[in-house]
Amino acid sequence: MSGIAMSDTELLKYAIDNGMINTALLQEKIEMQKREELLKKHTYNIWHGKDGKWRTYLPDKEKGRKLIKRVTKESLEDSIIKFLNESSEDEKKRKIAKEITLKAIFPEWLRFKQIHTQSTSYTKRITADWKRFYSEQIDFINTPLQKLSKLYLDEWAHGMIKNFEMTKKMYYNMSIILRQCLDYAVEQGYVEKNVFSEVKINSKMFKRVKKKAGITQVYTENEEERFIGDMARRFQNNPKNTAPLAVILAFEIGVRIGELCALKFSDIEGNYIHIQRQEVREFETVDDFTMKFKCYKIVEYTKSDDGFREIYLTSTAKKIIELARYMNSVNRESNDDFIFVQNGKNINHYSIQAMILRGCAHVNMDIKTSHKIRKTYISTLIDSGLNIDAIRRFAGHSDERTTYGNYCYNRLTDKQTEQAVEEALNTKKVIKGNQIFKFENGEKPYKMA
């Protein structure tokens, strides 16, 4: 060892490795030293009573102090040390609570959320909302939570609604972060209550959402015919790619695009197909405030409990599925029983969505996504007069109000709608000739412009 300079750490390690120091004895001495240091902080006397028990006082919030007694001095000191450790932890927590901000608690709350959800896309949306609505508000997110008063948060919330021209839904999604972070802070003991829950929003400030015209939300009968024709042409030109067949099938069963990607032949039973899984986008954490796309992933659950459902297969749907089965055999494609496969993998979101966009462009129509195919399916069933409860179940909705409110659109063109109104309100049966237009005393009828 001569001639070699060693640091204290290296020297200690050398001594331990070579049995020059008894580590168990060293650890015991360290614990004893810590114990003595803590007992020095105890400000009350320790005495031995006539009954043979050891006594001292401990601080008490209500009485100022309280007497404790133990059989041995060691057990009394153990109680003192336990109290001092707990008091130290309480003091640390109080200090944290006094200083903790929304920016500091957000990553902690987000990790808590991630434990309670299987969907990384949900937490990705939360980080996107943080970046959009919170990250640039430096003063707000760095203000201690204990200083966020009801009045302050009231002004902040209404200011956000005004500055971002928020709809009710947009505000709800944005405010989830603040609401739930404060709920979490209450649970952790950082604040006594969530004062934001007491803020009342003036609903008149929300931007009104006018329901979009049906022609922008669904495929008209003419568009559907031209679009499906283009999908058939694409499949005939390249039979190895069954993505066009998946798109056509969507018009027949109205599933979400993630559900469409995850369909299996084994899901079929008689005239029905069971919807029980979906493809989702998986995201990974970059830092405390950011997530990025990782991959597509098949999961054995649906968007909601009502998403587990059975959908009736039309004769056309059955033919499409059998054609896909045949092409998989011809193309020697096989991947865990999936209906739509390409290069040994199930066809994903991107492939289907790209096919739809190309199809819309080729037939010279506005871009209408896979979700609008789903709206088309549901609107078509509503137009057919099918009972709404059956439509709701096929759609995977928990409430028919969702079906009617968000998926019911007019698929007719203006001319077709006008003709339908004419036929519905035709009054020829009750107005014969010009009897209704006859006037008394030779009065002339009103001449319409």
Side-chain angles (χ1 to χ4, degrees):
M1 296 294 294
S2 60
I4 300 176
M6 298 180 70
S7 67
D8 290 344
T9 303
E10 290 171 331
L11 191 62
L12 180 62
K13 185 177 184 302
Y14 178 82
I16 292 172
D17 290 345
N18 289 274
M20 299 166 67
I21 293 178
N22 186 325
T23 54
L25 182 60
L26 180 62
Q27 182 65 36
E28 184 179 341
K29 287 184 177 181
I30 291 171
E31 293 299 324
M32 284 294 295
Q33 187 176 349
K34 287 182 179 178
R35 184 181 178 90
E36 289 172 5
E37 288 175 356
L38 274 173
L39 287 172
K40 286 178 183 178
K41 296 179 181 180
H42 184 58
T43 57
Y44 294 98
N45 290 329
I46 296 174
W47 72 93
H48 196 207
K50 293 180 180 180
D51 59 357
K53 294 184 179 180
W54 290 84
R55 290 172 170 80
T56 191
Y57 288 102
L58 291 178
D60 185 82
K61 289 182 179 179
E62 295 180 1
K63 299 178 181 179
R65 66 178 187 174
K66 66 178 180 179
L67 179 69
I68 64 167
K69 57 184 177 179
R70 299 290 183 269
V71 175
T72 65
K73 186 178 181 180
E74 184 180 8
S75 63
L76 185 71
E77 289 177 345
D78 287 342
S79 296
I80 294 169
I81 290 169
K82 182 181 178 183
F83 175 83
L84 291 173
N85 281 327
E86 290 175 351
S87 298
S88 177
E89 288 301 313
D90 288 343
E91 183 60 33
K92 287 180 184 177
K93 198 167 188 178
R94 281 193 292 271
K95 186 177 181 181
I96 292 172
K98 190 175 180 180
E99 298 175 354
I100 197 163
T101 64
L102 185 62
K103 183 178 180 180
I105 203 173
F106 173 76
E108 188 178 330
W109 165 76
L110 189 62
R111 285 190 288 272
F112 175 78
K113 291 286 288 183
Q114 288 172 321
I115 293 171
H116 295 85
T117 180
Q118 294 177 306
S119 175
T120 57
S121 60
Y122 175 64
T123 48
K124 170 64 173 68
R125 196 199 76 191
I126 290 174
T127 59
D129 283 345
W130 172 268
K131 183 176 181 180
R132 181 181 181 189
F133 298 115
Y134 293 85
S135 62
E136 299 300 319
Q137 298 190 61
I138 306 301
D139 290 341
F140 180 70
I141 63 176
N142 286 299
T143 299
L145 298 181
Q146 291 187 359
K147 292 184 178 181
L148 298 178
S149 66
K150 176 184 174 183
L151 178 61
Y152 179 77
L153 293 177
D154 184 292
E155 292 177 352
W156 173 83
H158 285 88
M160 291 290 287
I161 294 170
K162 185 180 292 185
N163 293 338
F164 285 93
E165 298 182 338
M166 290 184 172
T167 63
K168 187 175 181 178
K169 182 178 180 180
M170 184 179 175
Y171 169 77
Y172 174 79
N173 289 334
M174 177 281 298
S175 62
I176 278 177
I177 292 175
L178 179 60
R179 285 200 315 274
Q180 294 193 12
C181 276
L182 287 174
D183 283 338
Y184 179 77
V186 172
E187 291 293 326
Q188 293 297 316
Y190 299 143
V191 294
E192 291 185 3
K193 64 177 182 178
N194 181 353
V195 293
F196 190 48
S197 63
E198 300 174 0
V199 173
K200 304 299 180 185
I201 299 299
N202 181 1
S203 60
K204 292 181 180 179
M205 291 190 64
F206 290 128
K207 182 179 179 181
R208 303 299 175 189
V209 180
K210 184 180 178 182
K211 188 168 182 176
K212 296 177 181 178
I215 197 168
T216 68
Q217 297 301 300
V218 293
Y219 288 73
T220 65
E221 293 177 349
N222 177 264
E223 287 174 338
E224 180 179 347
E225 183 179 349
R226 289 188 292 123
F227 180 80
I228 289 178
D230 184 68
M231 290 297 108
R233 177 189 64 81
R234 289 174 184 277
F235 172 67
Q236 288 173 347
N237 290 343
N238 183 15
K240 286 189 175 182
N241 185 358
T242 55
L245 294 182
V247 175
I248 298 173
L249 181 64
F251 281 93
E252 297 294 320
I253 60 176
V255 292
R256 300 177 178 92
I257 188 169
E259 297 167 343
L260 183 64
C261 295
L263 293 176
K264 293 185 177 183
F265 292 109
S266 56
D267 296 331
I268 300 169
E269 186 175 342
N271 292 327
Y272 290 83
I273 187 165
H274 297 259
I275 308 302
Q276 52 196 332
R277 77 186 66 79
Q278 62 179 334
E279 183 184 71
V280 297
R281 289 182 296 170
E282 186 82 359
F283 294 88
E284 61 184 356
T285 300
V286 176
D287 55 42
D288 285 343
F289 304 93
T290 313
M291 298 182 75
K292 68 177 183 179
F293 175 76
K294 181 181 179 182
C295 62
Y296 288 108
K297 176 184 176 183
I298 298 293
V299 294
E300 296 299 322
Y301 59 83
T302 56
K303 185 177 180 181
S304 66
D305 289 342
D306 294 283
F308 285 95
R309 63 200 189 277
E310 296 179 348
I311 298 177
Y312 176 74
L313 292 174
T314 63
S315 58
T316 300
K318 291 176 183 177
K319 289 176 183 177
I320 294 169
I321 292 170
E322 286 309 307
L323 183 54
R325 188 196 300 273
Y326 172 74
M327 292 313 305
N328 288 346
S329 175
V330 170
N331 298 331
R332 296 183 179 180
E333 291 279 16
S334 177
N335 186 284
D336 198 23
D337 197 34
F338 287 109
I339 295 177
F340 300 108
V341 187
Q342 191 172 32
N343 299 325
K345 296 181 180 180
N346 68 291
I347 293 177
N348 63 29
H349 281 65
Y350 177 79
S351 298
I352 292 178
Q353 203 68 279
M355 185 63 63
I356 292 171
L357 298 182
R358 287 195 290 269
C360 288
H362 189 265
V363 299
N364 196 29
M365 60 180 279
D366 291 337
I367 292 174
K368 293 184 177 178
T369 62
S370 62
H371 193 58
K372 292 181 180 180
I373 295 178
R374 177 169 160 78
K375 290 180 179 181
T376 300
Y377 166 84
I378 295 171
S379 294
T380 302
L381 292 183
I382 291 173
D383 290 344
S384 74
L386 184 65
N387 184 276
I388 187 61
D389 187 57
I391 300 172
R392 176 194 64 76
R393 286 188 291 105
F394 289 156
H397 294 154
S398 60
D399 194 323
E400 63 270 10
R401 286 175 295 183
T402 301
T403 311
Y404 272 135
N406 301 319
Y407 293 84
C408 180
Y409 290 94
N410 180 18
R411 296 187 61 222
L412 303 178
T413 63
D414 287 345
K415 286 189 175 296
Q416 289 173 323
T417 300
E418 291 165 5
Q419 182 61 34
V421 172
E422 286 282 359
E423 292 175 359
L425 302 179
N426 194 319
T427 55
K428 288 180 180 179
K429 293 181 180 179
V430 294
I431 301 175
K432 297 180 180 180
N434 288 321
Q435 292 177 11
I436 196 171
F437 299 116
K438 290 184 178 179
F439 290 80
E440 298 290 334
N441 304 321
E443 233 179 282
K444 290 183 179 180
Y446 176 73
K447 186 177 180 181
M448 296 182 67

